[in-house]
């Protein structure tokens, strides 16, 4: 059993990235945002105009891609892309990119390499089921689509971006369906993961619950 990996899974907007980052800070461990890794690959594929059906082209791209984390930033081939990967265009394409088995295999390999080098807090959709099925500490965060849409809406407004909340809600439901129904590493709760409904909980309350179970 891996005691040096905390796996936090959940759908888009459930708060897992924020919570995972807080937990990593409290423990002094490395935080790995796996969703950001898939977003970075999505950015590179879209920028390269490679078709998602061009598997040989995607494999070549993956072989020439470097993804690194430095504190709260992610670097793609040495360039800080932290802001770029949070665009609406990436939102709409990341689920389709994430469903490609060659991409998942490559990124899972990188994620395991990170964990072999450092104690990690890692969030995503398949951390407790595929990446680290033997992790001692597994959590699955959830929230209603309405609450997740509200959070995303407020987050975008804080950045000066105005998108109708109905559109955000529809995008979340579409992503939920794509993530949970894909053949490769679908979004699902590991049988031994502790479920936390974050609908009516603040960040501090979720962090406290997770820390209490770890300690």
């Amino acid at each position: 059993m891996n005691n040096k990996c905390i796996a936090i899974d959940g759908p888009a907007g459930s708060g897992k990235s924020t919570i995972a980052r807080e937990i990593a800070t409290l423990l002094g461990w490395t935080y790995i945002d796996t969703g950001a890794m898939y977003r970075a690959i999505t950015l590179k594929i879209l920028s390269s105009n490679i078709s998602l059906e061009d598997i040989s082209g995607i494999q070549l791209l993956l072989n020439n891609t470097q993804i690194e984390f430095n504190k709260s930033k992610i670097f793609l081939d040495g360039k800080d892309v932290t802001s770029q990967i949070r665009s609406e265009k990436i939102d709409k394409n990341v689920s389709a990119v994430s469903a490609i088995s060659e991409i998942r295999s490559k990124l899972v390999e990188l994620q395991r390499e990170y964990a072999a080098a450092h104690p990690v807090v890692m969030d995503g959709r398949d951390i407790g089921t595929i990446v680290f099925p033997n992790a001692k500490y597994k959590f699955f965060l959830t929230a209603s689509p309405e609450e997740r849409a509200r959070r995303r809406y407020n987050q975008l407004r804080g950045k000066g971006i105005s998108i109708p909340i109905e559109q955000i809600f529809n995008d979340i439901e579409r992503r939920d369906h794509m993530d949970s129904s894909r053949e490769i590493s679908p979004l699902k709760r590991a049988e031994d993961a502790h479920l936390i409904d974050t609908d009516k909980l603040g960040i501090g309350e979720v962090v406290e619950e997770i820390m209490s179970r770890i300690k």
Side-chain angles (χ1 to χ4, degrees), residues 32 34 37-38 59 62-63 65 67 69 100-117 120 122 126-127 130-132 185:
I32 303 296
T34 65
M37 296 174 72
Y38 286 100
Q59 288 178 321
L62 290 172
N63 292 336
T65 296
I67 297 176
F69 291 92
I100 298 173
S101 61
E102 288 78 7
I103 290 175
R104 297 205 74 85
S105 295
K106 178 64 176 180
L107 294 192
V108 167
E109 177 185 326
L110 288 177
Q111 290 154 18
R112 288 173 176 163
E113 287 179 5
Y114 293 146
V120 297
M122 196 172 290
D126 63 348
I127 309 306
I130 301 296
V131 186
F132 293 108
S185 301

Side-chain angles (χ1 to χ4, degrees), residues 2-214:
N2 187 346
N3 294 342
K4 293 298 184 180
C5 174
I6 297 171
I8 302 179
D9 290 307
S14 58
K16 60 186 182 296
S17 296
T18 301
I19 300 302
R21 189 178 291 108
E22 290 282 339
I23 297 295
T25 298
L26 288 171
L27 294 174
W29 289 15
T30 300
Y31 165 59
I32 303 296
D33 181 351
T34 65
M37 296 174 72
Y38 286 100
R39 285 174 172 271
I41 291 296
T42 301
L43 174 64
K44 186 165 183 176
I45 288 175
L46 293 177
S47 300
S48 303
N49 292 318
I50 295 176
S51 167
L52 297 187
E53 297 178 357
D54 182 4
I55 301 303
S56 61
I58 288 174
Q59 288 178 321
L60 181 61
L61 178 144
L62 290 172
N63 292 336
N64 292 279
T65 296
Q66 184 178 31
I67 297 176
E68 297 176 307
F69 291 92
N70 188 345
K71 296 182 180 179
S72 59
K73 295 183 177 181
I74 183 170
F75 292 80
L76 175 65
D77 300 328
K79 180 182 178 182
D80 181 359
V81 294
T82 309
S83 298
Q84 287 178 265
I85 63 172
R86 301 297 172 184
S87 70
E88 184 181 359
K89 187 175 182 180
I90 300 298
D91 284 350
K92 290 184 175 180
N93 288 278
V94 66
S95 289
V97 170
S98 300
I100 298 173
S101 61
E102 288 78 7
I103 290 175
R104 297 205 74 85
S105 295
K106 178 64 176 180
L107 294 192
V108 167
E109 177 185 326
L110 288 177
Q111 290 154 18
R112 288 173 176 163
E113 287 179 5
Y114 293 146
H118 313 279
V120 297
V121 180
M122 196 172 290
D123 76 285
R125 287 165 174 75
D126 63 348
I127 309 306
T129 54
I130 301 296
V131 186
F132 293 108
N134 64 336
K136 182 176 180 179
Y137 304 108
K138 299 180 186 179
F139 300 90
F140 192 91
L141 274 54
T142 187
S144 66
E146 292 81 5
E147 174 61 18
R148 289 185 280 135
R150 185 190 67 80
R151 291 173 184 172
R152 179 64 172 159
Y153 176 76
N154 289 335
Q155 181 185 49
L156 291 172
R157 283 194 65 185
K159 296 179 180 180
I161 302 172
S162 179
I163 298 177
I165 195 168
E166 294 81 6
Q167 179 181 333
I168 297 173
F169 176 84
N170 291 335
D171 285 345
I172 282 176
E173 288 213 312
R174 177 184 57 81
R175 286 188 62 189
D176 283 353
H177 175 71
M178 291 183 68
D179 291 343
S180 59
S181 62
R182 67 186 178 215
E183 292 185 15
I184 307 297
S185 301
L187 166 68
K188 67 177 182 178
R189 174 189 172 191
E191 291 183 3
D192 55 345
H194 178 64
L195 177 65
I196 302 177
D197 187 338
T198 68
D199 252 7
K200 297 181 180 179
L201 297 177
I203 293 171
E205 292 172 299
V206 178
V207 169
E208 183 178 350
E209 180 170 349
I210 291 176
M211 290 298 293
S212 68
R213 289 183 174 274
I214 293 171

